[in-house]
Amino acid sequence: MYILQRTLYGVIIVWAAWTLTFLILYALPGDPVATMLSGSGQTDATPEEVDELRRRYGLDRPLPGQYLAALGGLLTGDLGSSYLTGDAVATSLAETLPTTLGLAVAALVLGGAAGTATAVATVAATTGRSPRLRRFGDILSGLPVLGVSLPTFWVGLLLLQIFSFRLGWVPALGGTGPAGLVLPAVTLAVPVAATVGQVLQRSLTTSWRQQFTTTYRAAGYTTGRLLTTHALRASLGPLLAVGGVLTGQLLGGAVVVETVFTRNGLGRLLVTSVTSQDIPVVLGVVTVSAVIFV
């Protein structure tokens, strides 16, 4: 019963995201057909050709008819074709999704490791006996706040300036392979590390005050060993609870990061499609993102 209830909630969320996106796109000023023709360089199309394009893509129907036709295609797995290229939306998603997922996984691993290390080091320092060590812990506790405050696009541009343009260690734009993944993954990992660090730091501090830590310390456990084993394991619950937030950060951040680094992923496809009012592609990207989030 519980699984069925959660599944129903997930279906409602995906439908609501898709519907809201559909309405917003059709409320935007401009004509998708005119944008499509200008993007393909066909500025001398006749009114008959324009009307034919409208009929081909169903844009000559009233809005409720277009909505029901698009929703019927979604329910049957047909996401339609791109207004701009004519390619099937499913094909475009299949080509770009692996790139974005690879970037998201790399950022999640880097951000999770950095955030966990920061949280453990902060709690170890702030619970130490040395005043100097506690002051160092206070400095470390401010790093997650700083990471959340930094704009993702600014971090990406800064990394490009230092490691690509000045040092030349990694490709500047459109790089492929591990070398081209480093800077985008680090850029996207910063807010993830900040979120993990904030949540885990609070949870570790709470666990440190529990009775079991006193027992283990009396048994001879060092602070580092206790924090990285029993206390860390007892503190993972709140971190798992914010998994949805982390997923949202990764999907939202991918749009900015892939645009800054000109990576052919889901985020850049979304930006291009919104600019050209390619409604089927935008709806496809939103649907995939909503399903991943759910």
Side-chain angles (χ1 to χ4, degrees):
M1 183 63 184
Y2 174 79
I3 295 177
L4 290 176
Q5 185 182 40
R6 302 306 296 180
T7 302
L8 178 61
Y9 288 161
V11 171
I12 293 174
I13 290 172
V14 173
W15 168 79
W18 184 90
T19 299
L20 184 60
T21 304
F22 180 91
L23 296 175
I24 290 175
L25 288 172
Y26 277 93
L28 290 175
D31 183 3
V33 173
T35 304
M36 175 184 13
L37 291 174
S38 63
S40 60
Q42 300 178 21
T43 57
D44 56 348
T46 64
E48 291 76 14
E49 292 174 334
V50 172
D51 291 339
E52 173 59 28
L53 286 174
R54 291 185 187 280
R55 283 192 296 270
R56 181 189 307 174
Y57 292 105
L59 296 174
D60 58 332
R61 306 175 187 172
L63 184 59
Q66 295 183 41
Y67 174 82
L68 292 176
L71 182 60
L74 175 66
L75 295 177
T76 57
D78 182 12
L79 299 177
S81 301
S82 168
Y83 292 166
L84 196 62
T85 64
D87 297 333
V89 174
T91 301
S92 300
L93 294 176
E95 292 174 351
T96 55
L97 185 58
T99 302
T100 299
L101 289 180
L103 173 61
V105 170
L108 185 61
V109 171
L110 291 175
T116 301
T118 302
V120 171
T122 301
V123 176
T126 53
T127 56
R129 298 180 179 179
S130 169
R132 182 178 298 177
L133 190 61
R134 287 197 294 271
R135 286 196 295 270
F136 178 65
D138 292 336
I139 295 174
L140 287 178
S141 64
L143 290 180
V145 179
L146 178 62
V148 171
S149 305
L150 294 176
T152 304
F153 74 90
W154 182 84
V155 174
L157 293 175
L158 181 63
L159 293 177
L160 275 175
Q161 180 66 27
I162 296 174
F163 295 102
S164 294
F165 298 138
R166 290 192 178 182
L167 299 178
W169 290 355
V170 290
L173 302 172
T176 58
L181 183 63
V182 173
L183 291 188
V186 171
T187 302
L188 193 55
V190 170
V192 175
T195 302
V196 171
Q198 280 184 320
V199 174
L200 196 55
Q201 180 183 325
R202 295 194 188 106
S203 186
L204 273 173
T205 302
T206 302
S207 297
W208 186 256
R209 296 169 181 162
Q210 301 300 317
Q211 183 63 39
F212 76 89
T213 60
T214 304
T215 303
Y216 279 112
R217 287 201 301 270
Y221 275 62
T222 62
T223 299
R225 182 184 177 188
L226 182 54
L227 279 174
T228 55
T229 54
H230 300 282
L232 181 60
R233 194 160 53 225
S235 304
L236 292 179
L239 183 59
L240 295 177
V242 299
V245 177
L246 291 176
T247 304
Q249 286 184 346
L250 289 170
L251 293 174
V255 176
V256 178
V257 171
E258 290 176 351
T259 301
V260 171
F261 292 93
T262 62
R263 291 178 59 85
N264 293 320
L266 207 62
R268 192 176 177 208
L269 176 65
L270 177 62
V271 172
T272 305
S273 302
V274 170
T275 303
S276 60
Q277 288 188 276
D278 200 343
I279 296 174
V281 177
V282 177
L283 289 173
V285 174
V286 169
T287 302
V288 169
S289 302
V291 169
I292 293 173
F293 187 88
V294 169

